[in-house]
Amino acid sequence: MKIFIISSNEKQLAAMTALLRERHAGDDIDSAVGSLERLAGTAEMAAPDALLLAQPVIDDADLVRIERLASRQPAMAIILQCQHQGSDFLLQAMRAGVREVLPQADNGAALNAALQRIEDKSTRHVRRDGKIIAFVSCKGGSGATFLAANLAYALAQDKQRVALFDLNLQFGDAALFVSDQKPAATLSHVAQQIHRLDPSFLAASMVQVTPNFSILAAPEDPGHASDIMPEHIDQLLHLARHEYDFIVLDTGRGLDAISVRALDNADMICPVVQATLPYIRDGKRLLQVFKSLEYPTSKIHLILNRHAGADEIRGRDLEAAYGQQIFHSMPNHYAVAAASVNQGVPVLKLAPGSPLAKSLQECARKLGGTRAASTPGLFSRLFQRNRPIHLRGETA
C-alpha cells in the first residue's frame, strides 16, 4: 500500500512515518513537511493509495483544496488527522471527499484501523487501465457492428472485463447481435444524468450479456442523439478505462463531433473493409481523414471482412491500394454469421468450431496486445521515493 503523509509539524511527521513503517513491511511510505496549498493546485497526479493530512487546523480553504484533489483522484483515500471533531465539520469533510477523520491525539490505533478499512476496500475493487478499441465502418453493410459485438464477446471469454459502447446514435443495434435482453437504459439516459456518473450508475445502465461482458446501448429514439455531447464521451471513457480491461466502441459510419471524440480517445481504430472497389474507394477516403486528424498509422488496424480466397481483389492488392497492411482477415461464412445475427447469439457460442469463430478468437488475441506505457505526470515525479519534498519553502 502506498501512503503519503503531509504534516506542518516536522516532529509529528517523523513519529507518524516511523509508526506506519512498523505497521506493514510492504507499505511504501513517503512524507512531506507543509500544507495542501501546493498539492491541490497541481492538475496531474500519480496518486498514492492513501493521503494522510496531519494538520492541527483545517480551514474552509483547505476543504476546498481537498475537494478539488478528491475530484481529480477519486481512487485515492484521504485521511484527516486534526483538532476538529464536531458533527458539522465531519459532514463538511465527508462532502469534500475525505474518507476518514481521526483525532489529533492518537496512539496509532485509529490510524491503523482506518488504513485497514481502506486496504480491505481496495482489494475488493481493482483499478484497471483499459484499452479502447474503436470499430469504424468504411461503408454501409461492412459488418463493423457484427465484428465489434462478437470480438467484445471473444475478449470477455479470456476472463477480461469488457464493455461495448454503441455510439451509432441514429440506428445503433449492437446489443441485438449478442443478446435478446431489452436495455433498461441507453447512452442518452446516461448523458441526461451525467452528474450521477460513477461505476454503479454505469453498470446499472448496461445490458449484462455475461458476467464479464456488458453493453451500453444506443438511444432507441434517434431524436435523443442530441442529448449526447462530446464531453460526455470523455467522461464515460475516462471512467470505463478504470472499470474494464477493454472498451469496444461501435462508432457507425458517419464522422461527427461524437465519433471523432471517441476516436481521439481510442488506443486502436479498426476500419472494417471488404474486397470490392466501393470499399477501396471509401476506405481510402477514411484513411485520409484519419491522416488529417493526425492519427498515427500505428493506431489504425484494417480488418478485411467476408474475405474469400476466390475474391478477384486479393489481400495484397488491398494493402497496395491503402498503403497499409491488413491487420486481420475474417473469412466469409455467411450461414453462421446470418444465424448468429438472426438469433442474437454470439458466433463463439452458436458455432464455436466454425472457421469464423476461430478467426474471431485469433483476432481477439491480436487486439488484446499490450499498450505502450504512458508518460508520467508532474505528481508522479513529486511522489517518487527517496526525494525530499518541502512545501511553502519550509526546511526539513
Side-chain angles (χ1 to χ4, degrees):
M1 187 175 187
K2 187 172 183 179
I3 306 169
F4 196 86
I5 315 167
I6 300 172
S7 176
S8 55
N9 184 313
E10 187 176 350
K11 185 175 180 181
Q12 181 188 29
L13 184 67
M16 294 181 71
T17 302
L19 180 69
L20 289 179
R21 284 180 175 155
E22 292 177 0
R23 171 184 172 270
H24 194 291
D27 285 344
D28 184 359
I29 312 296
D30 277 322
S31 60
V33 177
S35 73
L36 259 185
E37 184 174 0
R38 182 174 167 186
L39 294 180
T42 307
E44 295 294 332
M45 180 174 179
D49 301 303
L51 177 62
L52 173 58
L53 309 174
Q55 308 287 341
V57 177
I58 299 291
D59 58 24
D60 290 343
D62 286 328
L63 288 176
V64 170
R65 295 182 184 109
I66 290 170
E67 185 172 8
R68 290 173 180 166
L69 191 57
S71 66
R72 292 173 185 142
Q73 298 297 334
M76 180 179 68
I78 300 176
I79 303 172
L80 282 185
Q81 189 173 42
C82 59
Q83 294 175 353
H84 307 291
Q85 294 295 311
S87 58
D88 289 344
F89 174 78
L90 292 176
L91 183 59
Q92 291 176 356
M94 293 305 175
R95 284 175 174 169
V98 175
R99 185 79 60 84
E100 304 268 356
V101 179
L102 309 178
Q104 191 170 27
D106 174 36
N107 61 5
L111 177 57
N112 284 334
L115 289 170
Q116 188 61 52
R117 286 191 291 271
I118 292 167
E119 199 167 39
D120 290 344
K121 186 172 182 178
S122 67
T123 57
R124 292 194 297 267
H125 182 79
V126 178
R127 188 174 174 85
R128 292 171 165 82
D129 184 23
K131 177 190 285 187
I132 298 175
I133 307 171
F135 286 80
V136 186
S137 178
C138 290
K139 190 174 182 61
S142 69
T145 299
F146 172 85
L147 291 179
N150 277 274
L151 285 168
Y153 182 89
L155 287 166
Q157 297 303 293
D158 193 27
K159 298 182 180 179
Q160 306 286 344
R161 277 177 54 84
V162 180
L164 171 60
F165 289 175
D166 192 346
L167 302 185
N168 188 346
L169 304 185
Q170 299 294 332
F171 302 103
D173 55 2
L176 296 178
F177 283 72
V178 289
S179 174
D180 60 359
Q181 301 177 57
K182 181 178 176 58
T186 68
L187 181 58
S188 64
H189 294 111
V190 173
Q192 291 167 9
Q193 303 180 70
I194 198 70
H195 61 282
R196 292 183 53 199
L197 184 63
D198 62 17
S200 298
F201 179 56
L202 178 59
S205 302
M206 302 175 77
V207 173
Q208 188 166 1
V209 181
T210 71
N212 290 331
F213 176 33
S214 301
I215 299 176
L216 182 59
E220 291 186 0
D221 183 349
H224 286 299
S226 59
D227 295 332
I228 299 135
M229 300 290 123
E231 55 268 26
H232 297 157
I233 300 302
D234 287 334
Q235 290 174 263
L236 271 169
L237 294 180
H238 177 77
L239 173 64
R241 276 197 190 274
H242 299 313
E243 298 299 314
Y244 298 92
D245 298 297
F246 295 97
I247 304 96
V248 177
L249 310 179
D250 179 19
T251 64
R253 188 190 176 202
L255 289 177
D256 54 20
I258 300 299
S259 59
V260 169
R261 187 63 62 91
L263 296 176
D264 288 345
N265 280 279
D267 299 294
M268 301 174 69
I269 299 174
C270 298
V272 180
V273 301
Q274 294 188 31
T276 63
L277 285 176
Y279 278 97
I280 293 176
R281 182 192 62 183
D282 285 9
K284 290 177 70 174
R285 289 175 175 174
L286 187 61
L287 293 181
Q288 189 60 42
V289 172
F290 291 161
K291 185 176 181 180
S292 69
L293 292 171
E294 298 183 351
Y295 295 154
T297 304
S298 58
K299 186 173 179 174
I300 313 301
H301 296 72
L302 288 171
I303 295 184
L304 174 58
N305 195 24
R306 299 171 186 159
H307 178 60
D311 283 346
E312 187 174 346
I313 300 176
R314 296 167 297 180
R316 62 172 174 266
D317 298 325
L318 290 172
E319 291 179 339
Y322 291 129
Q324 188 166 337
Q325 287 188 335
I326 300 295
F327 175 73
H328 189 79
S329 295
M330 288 289 174
N332 185 13
H333 197 166
Y334 176 79
V336 167
S340 170
V341 173
N342 289 333
Q343 297 178 42
V345 178
V347 170
L348 287 174
K349 185 176 180 180
L350 181 70
S354 67
L356 183 55
K358 293 176 181 178
S359 186
L360 286 165
Q361 288 176 316
E362 181 186 352
C363 187
R365 284 193 293 270
K366 291 160 71 174
L367 291 171
T370 57
R371 290 172 52 193
S374 58
T375 304
L378 176 58
F379 255 89
S380 120
R381 298 191 294 274
L382 184 59
F383 278 121
Q384 285 176 358
R385 280 183 58 79
N386 302 322
R387 184 174 178 181
I389 303 172
H390 303 287
L391 309 180
R392 282 185 170 175
E394 294 157 306
T395 56

